[in-house]
Amino acid sequence: YTEEVTDFDFYIDVHPLLPISFTGPVHWSVSDSAPVYRGRMVREIELPSGGGKREATWSESRQYDKWRSERVTQGLPPWIPRDNSNQFRDVGSAVALRSSKTLRQWADEYCASPKLLKEFVYEKVLYGWNMKQFEEAVRATISSTYRRDGSITISFDIKNSKVYVRPQNILSRILSNELLKILLTIFFIYWPFIWLYKRFYAGGRWKVCGGAYSFRREVTEDGPETMGKKKKRWSVFKKANGWRNGATVSSIM
Protein backbone atom coordinates (compact mmCIF):
# COMPACT_ATOMS: atom_id res chain seq x y z
CA TYR A 1 0.00 0.00 0.00
CA THR A 2 1.42 3.36 -1.06
CA GLU A 3 -0.01 6.75 -0.20
CA GLU A 4 1.19 10.08 -1.52
CA VAL A 5 1.45 12.93 0.96
CA THR A 6 1.74 16.52 -0.28
CA ASP A 7 4.18 18.45 1.90
CA PHE A 8 3.55 21.82 0.28
CA ASP A 9 1.70 23.16 -2.73
CA PHE A 10 1.60 26.87 -3.50
CA TYR A 11 1.07 29.26 -6.41
CA ILE A 12 3.10 32.41 -7.01
CA ASP A 13 1.15 35.08 -8.89
CA VAL A 14 3.46 37.15 -11.08
CA HIS A 15 2.69 40.86 -10.82
CA PRO A 16 4.21 43.93 -12.51
CA LEU A 17 7.11 45.83 -11.00
CA LEU A 18 7.09 48.37 -13.84
CA PRO A 19 4.20 50.14 -15.60
CA ILE A 20 2.67 48.24 -18.51
CA SER A 21 3.23 51.23 -20.80
CA PHE A 22 6.97 50.82 -20.23
CA THR A 23 7.11 47.17 -21.18
CA GLY A 24 5.03 46.65 -24.31
CA PRO A 25 3.42 44.92 -25.98
CA VAL A 26 5.12 44.44 -29.34
CA HIS A 27 2.64 43.42 -32.03
CA TRP A 28 3.92 40.50 -34.09
CA SER A 29 2.78 38.34 -36.99
CA VAL A 30 3.93 35.00 -38.35
CA SER A 31 6.12 34.65 -41.42
CA ASP A 32 4.66 33.50 -44.73
CA SER A 33 6.53 30.18 -44.45
CA ALA A 34 5.01 29.29 -41.06
CA PRO A 35 2.37 26.52 -41.18
CA VAL A 36 -0.49 28.20 -39.30
CA TYR A 37 -4.23 28.74 -39.69
CA ARG A 38 -4.85 31.41 -42.33
CA GLY A 39 -8.61 31.27 -42.83
CA ARG A 40 -9.32 27.56 -43.22
CA MET A 41 -9.55 24.69 -40.74
CA VAL A 42 -6.18 23.35 -41.87
CA ARG A 43 -2.74 24.88 -41.57
CA GLU A 44 -1.48 26.74 -44.61
CA ILE A 45 1.66 28.40 -45.96
CA GLU A 46 1.58 31.68 -47.87
CA LEU A 47 3.14 31.34 -51.32
CA PRO A 48 5.56 34.04 -52.55
CA SER A 49 4.66 36.79 -55.03
CA GLY A 50 0.97 36.66 -54.19
CA GLY A 51 0.64 33.06 -55.33
CA GLY A 52 -2.04 32.25 -52.78
CA LYS A 53 -1.82 29.59 -50.09
CA ARG A 54 -1.13 25.88 -49.95
CA GLU A 55 -1.92 23.33 -47.28
CA ALA A 56 1.02 22.58 -45.00
CA THR A 57 2.35 19.04 -44.82
CA TRP A 58 2.36 16.99 -41.63
CA SER A 59 6.16 17.20 -41.48
CA GLU A 60 6.15 21.01 -41.78
CA SER A 61 3.56 21.33 -39.02
CA ARG A 62 5.47 18.94 -36.77
CA GLN A 63 8.77 20.80 -37.20
CA TYR A 64 7.05 24.12 -36.57
CA ASP A 65 5.42 22.86 -33.36
CA LYS A 66 8.75 21.46 -32.18
CA TRP A 67 10.51 24.79 -32.76
CA ARG A 68 7.63 26.68 -31.13
CA SER A 69 8.00 24.56 -27.99
CA GLU A 70 11.78 25.08 -27.94
CA ARG A 71 11.36 28.82 -28.46
CA VAL A 72 8.97 29.15 -25.52
CA THR A 73 11.30 27.13 -23.28
CA GLN A 74 14.28 29.29 -24.24
CA GLY A 75 12.31 32.50 -23.69
CA LEU A 76 12.72 33.75 -27.26
CA PRO A 77 10.24 36.19 -28.85
CA PRO A 78 7.87 34.79 -31.50
CA TRP A 79 9.49 36.67 -34.40
CA ILE A 80 12.91 35.03 -33.97
CA PRO A 81 13.48 32.46 -36.76
CA ARG A 82 14.95 29.07 -36.01
CA ASP A 83 18.22 29.76 -37.84
CA ASN A 84 18.78 32.93 -35.79
CA SER A 85 17.68 31.71 -32.37
CA ASN A 86 20.86 32.79 -30.58
CA GLN A 87 20.05 36.48 -30.98
CA PHE A 88 17.79 38.05 -28.37
CA ARG A 89 16.96 41.70 -28.63
CA ASP A 90 14.14 44.13 -27.99
CA VAL A 91 12.76 45.34 -31.31
CA GLY A 92 9.91 47.33 -32.68
CA SER A 93 6.99 46.18 -34.77
CA ALA A 94 8.95 46.73 -38.00
CA VAL A 95 10.93 43.53 -37.28
CA ALA A 96 8.24 41.65 -35.35
CA LEU A 97 5.69 41.92 -38.18
CA ARG A 98 7.07 39.16 -40.41
CA SER A 99 4.01 38.52 -42.58
CA SER A 100 3.75 40.03 -46.05
CA LYS A 101 0.25 41.14 -45.01
CA THR A 102 -0.43 43.83 -42.46
CA LEU A 103 -2.56 43.20 -39.38
CA ARG A 104 -5.27 45.34 -40.98
CA GLN A 105 -5.25 43.14 -44.09
CA TRP A 106 -5.62 40.00 -41.97
CA ALA A 107 -8.50 41.60 -40.07
CA ASP A 108 -10.19 42.68 -43.31
CA GLU A 109 -9.84 39.14 -44.67
CA TYR A 110 -11.53 37.76 -41.56
CA CYS A 111 -14.37 40.30 -41.73
CA ALA A 112 -14.96 39.58 -45.43
CA SER A 113 -15.34 35.84 -44.84
CA PRO A 114 -19.01 34.68 -44.94
CA LYS A 115 -18.36 31.61 -42.76
CA LEU A 116 -20.66 31.26 -39.74
CA LEU A 117 -18.15 29.60 -37.39
CA LYS A 118 -15.05 31.62 -38.17
CA GLU A 119 -12.71 32.88 -35.45
CA PHE A 120 -9.74 35.23 -35.26
CA VAL A 121 -7.22 34.47 -32.51
CA TYR A 122 -4.94 37.15 -31.05
CA GLU A 123 -2.30 35.45 -28.89
CA LYS A 124 -0.47 37.17 -26.03
CA VAL A 125 2.95 35.65 -25.31
CA LEU A 126 5.76 36.18 -22.83
CA TYR A 127 9.45 36.08 -23.65
CA GLY A 128 12.81 36.95 -22.13
CA TRP A 129 13.38 34.17 -19.59
CA ASN A 130 14.82 30.72 -20.23
CA MET A 131 12.09 28.77 -18.45
CA LYS A 132 14.11 25.56 -18.29
CA GLN A 133 16.97 27.30 -16.48
CA PHE A 134 14.45 29.07 -14.24
CA GLU A 135 12.83 25.74 -13.33
CA GLU A 136 16.23 24.21 -12.56
CA ALA A 137 17.09 27.18 -10.32
CA VAL A 138 13.82 26.85 -8.38
CA ARG A 139 14.31 23.10 -8.04
CA ALA A 140 17.90 23.56 -6.80
CA THR A 141 16.76 26.15 -4.23
CA ILE A 142 14.08 23.82 -2.87
CA SER A 143 16.45 20.85 -2.78
CA SER A 144 19.09 22.83 -0.88
CA THR A 145 16.68 23.76 1.93
CA TYR A 146 14.25 20.86 1.92
CA ARG A 147 16.28 17.68 2.25
CA ARG A 148 13.69 14.94 2.05
CA ASP A 149 13.11 12.21 -0.48
CA GLY A 150 10.20 12.79 -2.81
CA SER A 151 9.22 14.35 -6.11
CA ILE A 152 9.14 18.08 -6.82
CA THR A 153 6.79 19.31 -9.54
CA ILE A 154 7.15 22.81 -10.99
CA SER A 155 4.79 24.14 -13.65
CA PHE A 156 4.21 27.53 -15.26
CA ASP A 157 0.55 28.37 -15.78
CA ILE A 158 -0.58 31.12 -18.14
CA LYS A 159 -4.24 32.11 -18.17
CA ASN A 160 -6.28 34.36 -20.45
CA SER A 161 -3.49 34.51 -23.01
CA LYS A 162 -5.73 34.45 -26.10
CA VAL A 163 -8.37 36.82 -27.42
CA TYR A 164 -11.01 35.19 -29.64
CA VAL A 165 -13.04 37.19 -32.12
CA ARG A 166 -16.13 35.32 -33.36
CA PRO A 167 -19.28 36.30 -35.30
CA GLN A 168 -22.43 37.15 -33.40
CA ASN A 169 -24.76 34.33 -34.40
CA ILE A 170 -26.58 31.78 -32.24
CA LEU A 171 -24.46 28.74 -33.16
CA SER A 172 -21.19 30.59 -32.66
CA ARG A 173 -22.33 31.91 -29.28
CA ILE A 174 -23.38 28.41 -28.18
CA LEU A 175 -20.02 26.90 -29.11
CA SER A 176 -18.23 29.73 -27.27
CA ASN A 177 -19.89 28.58 -24.04
CA GLU A 178 -17.74 25.76 -22.62
CA LEU A 179 -20.58 24.30 -20.54
CA LEU A 180 -22.95 24.09 -23.51
CA LYS A 181 -20.18 22.65 -25.66
CA ILE A 182 -19.55 19.90 -23.07
CA LEU A 183 -23.27 19.07 -22.97
CA LEU A 184 -23.40 18.88 -26.78
CA THR A 185 -20.41 16.53 -26.70
CA ILE A 186 -21.99 14.29 -24.03
CA PHE A 187 -25.18 13.92 -26.07
CA PHE A 188 -23.18 13.21 -29.28
CA ILE A 189 -24.40 16.37 -30.99
CA TYR A 190 -21.07 18.15 -31.31
CA TRP A 191 -19.33 14.95 -32.40
CA PRO A 192 -19.75 14.32 -35.23
CA PHE A 193 -22.44 16.65 -36.59
CA ILE A 194 -21.36 20.18 -35.59
CA TRP A 195 -17.65 19.32 -35.82
CA LEU A 196 -18.02 18.03 -39.39
CA TYR A 197 -20.13 21.05 -40.33
CA LYS A 198 -17.46 23.38 -38.96
CA ARG A 199 -14.53 21.40 -40.31
CA PHE A 200 -15.66 21.12 -43.92
CA TYR A 201 -18.14 23.92 -44.51
CA ALA A 202 -18.75 26.73 -42.01
CA GLY A 203 -15.47 26.98 -40.11
CA GLY A 204 -12.49 29.26 -40.57
CA ARG A 205 -9.60 30.09 -38.28
CA TRP A 206 -6.96 32.82 -38.28
CA LYS A 207 -3.97 32.42 -35.92
CA VAL A 208 -1.48 34.80 -37.50
CA CYS A 209 -0.66 37.51 -34.98
CA GLY A 210 -0.49 38.57 -31.36
CA GLY A 211 1.19 40.74 -28.76
CA ALA A 212 4.51 39.98 -27.06
CA TYR A 213 5.40 41.06 -23.52
CA SER A 214 9.03 40.97 -22.47
CA PHE A 215 10.25 39.79 -19.06
CA ARG A 216 13.41 41.80 -19.75
CA ARG A 217 13.98 45.31 -20.98
CA GLU A 218 17.10 47.21 -21.98
CA VAL A 219 17.34 50.73 -20.54
CA THR A 220 20.16 53.27 -20.64
CA GLU A 221 21.42 54.89 -17.47
CA ASP A 222 20.93 58.64 -17.31
CA GLY A 223 23.62 61.15 -16.55
CA PRO A 224 26.90 62.31 -18.15
CA GLU A 225 28.91 59.81 -16.10
CA THR A 226 27.18 56.93 -17.91
CA MET A 227 27.78 58.16 -21.47
CA GLY A 228 29.12 55.40 -23.67
CA LYS A 229 28.37 52.67 -21.16
CA LYS A 230 26.51 49.55 -22.15
CA LYS A 231 22.84 49.24 -21.49
CA LYS A 232 21.62 47.41 -18.44
CA ARG A 233 19.07 44.63 -18.82
CA TRP A 234 16.32 44.66 -16.25
CA SER A 235 14.27 41.60 -15.44
CA VAL A 236 10.65 42.13 -14.47
CA PHE A 237 7.47 40.28 -13.60
CA LYS A 238 4.28 41.45 -15.21
CA LYS A 239 0.53 40.97 -15.46
CA ALA A 240 -0.86 42.52 -18.63
CA ASN A 241 -4.39 43.33 -19.77
CA GLY A 242 -6.16 41.08 -17.30
CA TRP A 243 -4.15 37.94 -17.95
CA ARG A 244 -2.28 36.09 -15.24
CA ASN A 245 0.88 34.07 -15.25
CA GLY A 246 2.76 32.38 -12.48
CA ALA A 247 4.50 29.30 -11.17
CA THR A 248 3.05 26.40 -9.23
CA VAL A 249 5.41 24.51 -6.94
CA SER A 250 4.51 21.32 -5.10
CA SER A 251 6.26 18.45 -3.36
CA ILE A 252 4.80 14.96 -3.03
CA MET A 253 6.13 12.23 -0.79
Short mmCIF file of all heavy atoms in Angstrom, two decimals, residues 215-244:
data_model
loop_
_atom_site.label_atom_id
_atom_site.label_comp_id
_atom_site.label_asym_id
_atom_site.label_seq_id
_atom_site.Cartn_x
_atom_site.Cartn_y
_atom_site.Cartn_z
N PHE A 215 9.84 39.86 -20.46
CA PHE A 215 10.25 39.79 -19.06
C PHE A 215 11.48 40.65 -18.81
O PHE A 215 11.83 40.93 -17.67
CB PHE A 215 10.58 38.35 -18.68
CG PHE A 215 9.40 37.56 -18.21
CD1 PHE A 215 9.12 36.33 -18.77
CD2 PHE A 215 8.58 38.03 -17.22
CE1 PHE A 215 8.04 35.58 -18.33
CE2 PHE A 215 7.50 37.30 -16.77
CZ PHE A 215 7.22 36.07 -17.33
N ARG A 216 12.18 41.01 -19.88
CA ARG A 216 13.41 41.80 -19.75
C ARG A 216 13.31 43.03 -20.64
O ARG A 216 12.65 43.03 -21.67
CB ARG A 216 14.63 40.98 -20.16
CG ARG A 216 14.83 39.73 -19.34
CD ARG A 216 16.13 39.05 -19.68
NE ARG A 216 16.18 38.60 -21.07
CZ ARG A 216 17.21 37.93 -21.58
NH1 ARG A 216 18.26 37.66 -20.84
NH2 ARG A 216 17.20 37.55 -22.84
N ARG A 217 14.02 44.07 -20.22
CA ARG A 217 13.98 45.31 -20.98
C ARG A 217 15.32 46.01 -20.88
O ARG A 217 15.90 46.09 -19.79
CB ARG A 217 12.89 46.23 -20.41
CG ARG A 217 12.55 47.40 -21.31
CD ARG A 217 11.79 46.93 -22.53
NE ARG A 217 11.26 48.03 -23.30
CZ ARG A 217 10.59 47.87 -24.43
NH1 ARG A 217 10.34 46.67 -24.89
NH2 ARG A 217 10.13 48.90 -25.09
N GLU A 218 15.84 46.48 -22.00
CA GLU A 218 17.10 47.21 -21.98
C GLU A 218 16.82 48.70 -21.79
O GLU A 218 16.04 49.30 -22.52
CB GLU A 218 17.86 46.99 -23.29
CG GLU A 218 18.47 45.60 -23.40
CD GLU A 218 19.37 45.48 -24.61
OE1 GLU A 218 19.30 46.39 -25.47
OE2 GLU A 218 20.12 44.52 -24.70
N VAL A 219 17.48 49.30 -20.80
CA VAL A 219 17.34 50.73 -20.54
C VAL A 219 18.73 51.32 -20.39
O VAL A 219 19.68 50.65 -19.97
CB VAL A 219 16.51 51.01 -19.27
CG1 VAL A 219 15.08 50.53 -19.45
CG2 VAL A 219 17.13 50.34 -18.06
N THR A 220 18.87 52.58 -20.73
CA THR A 220 20.16 53.27 -20.64
C THR A 220 20.18 54.13 -19.40
O THR A 220 19.22 54.84 -19.10
CB THR A 220 20.39 54.15 -21.89
OG1 THR A 220 20.27 53.33 -23.05
CG2 THR A 220 21.76 54.77 -21.85
N GLU A 221 21.28 54.06 -18.66
CA GLU A 221 21.42 54.89 -17.47
C GLU A 221 21.51 56.35 -17.86
O GLU A 221 22.12 56.72 -18.87
CB GLU A 221 22.67 54.48 -16.69
CG GLU A 221 22.61 53.07 -16.13
CD GLU A 221 23.91 52.69 -15.45
OE1 GLU A 221 24.96 53.16 -15.91
OE2 GLU A 221 23.86 51.93 -14.48
N ASP A 222 20.90 57.21 -17.05
CA ASP A 222 20.93 58.64 -17.31
C ASP A 222 22.14 59.29 -16.65
O ASP A 222 22.69 58.78 -15.67
CB ASP A 222 19.65 59.30 -16.78
CG ASP A 222 18.41 58.79 -17.52
OD1 ASP A 222 18.54 58.51 -18.72
OD2 ASP A 222 17.35 58.68 -16.89
N GLY A 223 22.53 60.41 -17.17
CA GLY A 223 23.62 61.15 -16.55
C GLY A 223 24.87 61.14 -17.40
O GLY A 223 25.15 60.19 -18.13
N PRO A 224 25.69 62.23 -17.33
CA PRO A 224 26.90 62.31 -18.15
C PRO A 224 27.94 61.26 -17.78
O PRO A 224 28.76 60.87 -18.61
CB PRO A 224 27.41 63.72 -17.87
CG PRO A 224 26.82 64.08 -16.54
CD PRO A 224 25.48 63.41 -16.50
N GLU A 225 27.91 60.78 -16.52
CA GLU A 225 28.91 59.81 -16.10
C GLU A 225 28.67 58.43 -16.71
O GLU A 225 29.52 57.55 -16.63
CB GLU A 225 28.94 59.69 -14.57
CG GLU A 225 27.69 59.06 -13.96
CD GLU A 225 26.54 60.04 -13.83
OE1 GLU A 225 26.73 61.21 -14.23
OE2 GLU A 225 25.47 59.63 -13.35
N THR A 226 27.50 58.24 -17.33
CA THR A 226 27.18 56.93 -17.91
C THR A 226 27.26 56.96 -19.43
O THR A 226 26.90 55.98 -20.08
CB THR A 226 25.77 56.50 -17.50
OG1 THR A 226 24.82 57.45 -18.00
CG2 THR A 226 25.65 56.41 -15.99
N MET A 227 27.71 58.06 -20.02
CA MET A 227 27.78 58.16 -21.47
C MET A 227 28.74 57.12 -22.02
O MET A 227 29.85 56.95 -21.54
CB MET A 227 28.24 59.57 -21.88
CG MET A 227 27.24 60.66 -21.55
SD MET A 227 25.69 60.49 -22.44
CE MET A 227 26.28 60.83 -24.10
N GLY A 228 28.28 56.40 -23.03
CA GLY A 228 29.12 55.40 -23.67
C GLY A 228 29.10 54.05 -22.99
O GLY A 228 29.68 53.10 -23.50
N LYS A 229 28.43 53.96 -21.84
CA LYS A 229 28.37 52.67 -21.16
C LYS A 229 27.31 51.79 -21.79
O LYS A 229 26.36 52.27 -22.40
CB LYS A 229 28.08 52.87 -19.67
CG LYS A 229 29.23 53.49 -18.90
CD LYS A 229 28.92 53.49 -17.41
CE LYS A 229 30.11 54.05 -16.62
NZ LYS A 229 29.84 54.04 -15.16
N LYS A 230 27.46 50.50 -21.60
CA LYS A 230 26.51 49.55 -22.15
C LYS A 230 25.18 49.65 -21.41
O LYS A 230 25.12 50.05 -20.26
CB LYS A 230 27.05 48.12 -22.05
CG LYS A 230 28.27 47.87 -22.94
CD LYS A 230 28.71 46.42 -22.82
CE LYS A 230 29.89 46.15 -23.74
NZ LYS A 230 30.34 44.74 -23.64
N LYS A 231 24.15 49.23 -22.09
CA LYS A 231 22.84 49.24 -21.49
C LYS A 231 22.72 48.15 -20.43
O LYS A 231 23.33 47.10 -20.54
CB LYS A 231 21.76 49.02 -22.55
CG LYS A 231 21.64 50.16 -23.56
CD LYS A 231 20.56 49.85 -24.55
CE LYS A 231 20.40 50.99 -25.56
NZ LYS A 231 19.34 50.69 -26.54
N LYS A 232 21.93 48.42 -19.44
CA LYS A 232 21.62 47.41 -18.44
C LYS A 232 20.35 46.69 -18.84
O LYS A 232 19.44 47.27 -19.41
CB LYS A 232 21.44 48.05 -17.06
CG LYS A 232 22.73 48.47 -16.39
CD LYS A 232 22.46 48.92 -14.97
CE LYS A 232 23.76 49.25 -14.25
NZ LYS A 232 23.50 49.67 -12.85
N ARG A 233 20.27 45.41 -18.52
CA ARG A 233 19.07 44.63 -18.82
C ARG A 233 18.34 44.35 -17.52
O ARG A 233 18.88 43.74 -16.60
CB ARG A 233 19.44 43.32 -19.51
CG ARG A 233 18.23 42.58 -20.04
CD ARG A 233 18.66 41.32 -20.78
NE ARG A 233 19.39 41.62 -21.98
CZ ARG A 233 18.84 41.94 -23.13
NH1 ARG A 233 17.53 42.05 -23.21
NH2 ARG A 233 19.57 42.17 -24.19
N TRP A 234 17.13 44.84 -17.44
CA TRP A 234 16.32 44.66 -16.25
C TRP A 234 15.39 43.48 -16.46
O TRP A 234 14.86 43.27 -17.53
CB TRP A 234 15.50 45.92 -15.97
CG TRP A 234 16.33 47.11 -15.64
CD1 TRP A 234 17.01 47.91 -16.52
CD2 TRP A 234 16.59 47.65 -14.35
NE1 TRP A 234 17.67 48.91 -15.86
CE2 TRP A 234 17.43 48.78 -14.52
CE3 TRP A 234 16.20 47.29 -13.06
CZ2 TRP A 234 17.87 49.54 -13.46
CZ3 TRP A 234 16.63 48.06 -12.01
CH2 TRP A 234 17.46 49.16 -12.21
N SER A 235 15.17 42.74 -15.39
CA SER A 235 14.27 41.60 -15.44
C SER A 235 13.06 41.92 -14.60
O SER A 235 13.18 42.35 -13.45
CB SER A 235 14.97 40.35 -14.91
OG SER A 235 14.13 39.24 -15.00
N VAL A 236 11.87 41.72 -15.16
CA VAL A 236 10.65 42.13 -14.47
C VAL A 236 9.61 41.03 -14.53
O VAL A 236 9.62 40.17 -15.40
CB VAL A 236 10.05 43.41 -15.10
CG1 VAL A 236 11.03 44.55 -15.01
CG2 VAL A 236 9.64 43.17 -16.54
N PHE A 237 8.69 41.06 -13.54
CA PHE A 237 7.47 40.28 -13.60
C PHE A 237 6.39 41.20 -14.15
O PHE A 237 6.46 42.40 -14.01
CB PHE A 237 7.03 39.82 -12.20
CG PHE A 237 7.92 38.78 -11.59
CD1 PHE A 237 8.90 39.15 -10.69
CD2 PHE A 237 7.77 37.45 -11.91
CE1 PHE A 237 9.71 38.20 -10.10
CE2 PHE A 237 8.58 36.50 -11.34
CZ PHE A 237 9.55 36.87 -10.43
N LYS A 238 5.36 40.60 -14.74
CA LYS A 238 4.28 41.45 -15.21
C LYS A 238 2.96 40.70 -15.29
O LYS A 238 2.90 39.49 -15.40
CB LYS A 238 4.61 42.05 -16.57
CG LYS A 238 4.83 41.03 -17.67
CD LYS A 238 4.92 41.71 -18.99
CE LYS A 238 5.99 42.71 -19.04
NZ LYS A 238 7.31 42.18 -18.85
N LYS A 239 1.88 41.47 -15.22
CA LYS A 239 0.53 40.97 -15.46
C LYS A 239 -0.12 41.97 -16.39
O LYS A 239 -0.30 43.13 -16.03
CB LYS A 239 -0.25 40.86 -14.15
CG LYS A 239 -1.69 40.42 -14.34
CD LYS A 239 -2.36 40.18 -13.00
CE LYS A 239 -2.49 41.44 -12.21
NZ LYS A 239 -3.19 41.23 -10.93
N ALA A 240 -0.46 41.56 -17.61
CA ALA A 240 -0.86 42.52 -18.63
C ALA A 240 -2.29 42.27 -19.09
O ALA A 240 -2.67 41.14 -19.38
CB ALA A 240 0.08 42.43 -19.82
N ASN A 241 -3.06 43.35 -19.17
CA ASN A 241 -4.39 43.33 -19.77
C ASN A 241 -5.28 42.22 -19.21
O ASN A 241 -5.98 41.53 -19.94
CB ASN A 241 -4.28 43.16 -21.29
CG ASN A 241 -3.62 44.37 -21.93
OD1 ASN A 241 -3.58 45.43 -21.34
ND2 ASN A 241 -3.10 44.19 -23.12
N GLY A 242 -5.25 42.02 -17.92
CA GLY A 242 -6.16 41.08 -17.30
C GLY A 242 -5.73 39.64 -17.34
O GLY A 242 -6.43 38.77 -16.84
N TRP A 243 -4.57 39.33 -17.92
CA TRP A 243 -4.15 37.94 -17.95
C TRP A 243 -3.18 37.69 -16.82
O TRP A 243 -2.51 38.58 -16.32
CB TRP A 243 -3.56 37.54 -19.30
CG TRP A 243 -2.25 38.16 -19.65
CD1 TRP A 243 -1.76 39.37 -19.26
CD2 TRP A 243 -1.24 37.60 -20.48
NE1 TRP A 243 -0.54 39.60 -19.81
CE2 TRP A 243 -0.19 38.53 -20.55
CE3 TRP A 243 -1.12 36.40 -21.17
CZ2 TRP A 243 0.96 38.29 -21.29
CZ3 TRP A 243 0.02 36.18 -21.90
CH2 TRP A 243 1.04 37.11 -21.96
N ARG A 244 -3.11 36.44 -16.38
CA ARG A 244 -2.28 36.09 -15.24
C ARG A 244 -1.27 35.04 -15.67
O ARG A 244 -1.51 34.22 -16.54
CB ARG A 244 -3.14 35.52 -14.11
CG ARG A 244 -4.12 36.50 -13.52
CD ARG A 244 -4.96 35.83 -12.47
NE ARG A 244 -4.11 35.29 -11.41
CZ ARG A 244 -4.54 34.36 -10.55
NH1 ARG A 244 -5.74 33.87 -10.66
NH2 ARG A 244 -3.74 33.92 -9.60
#
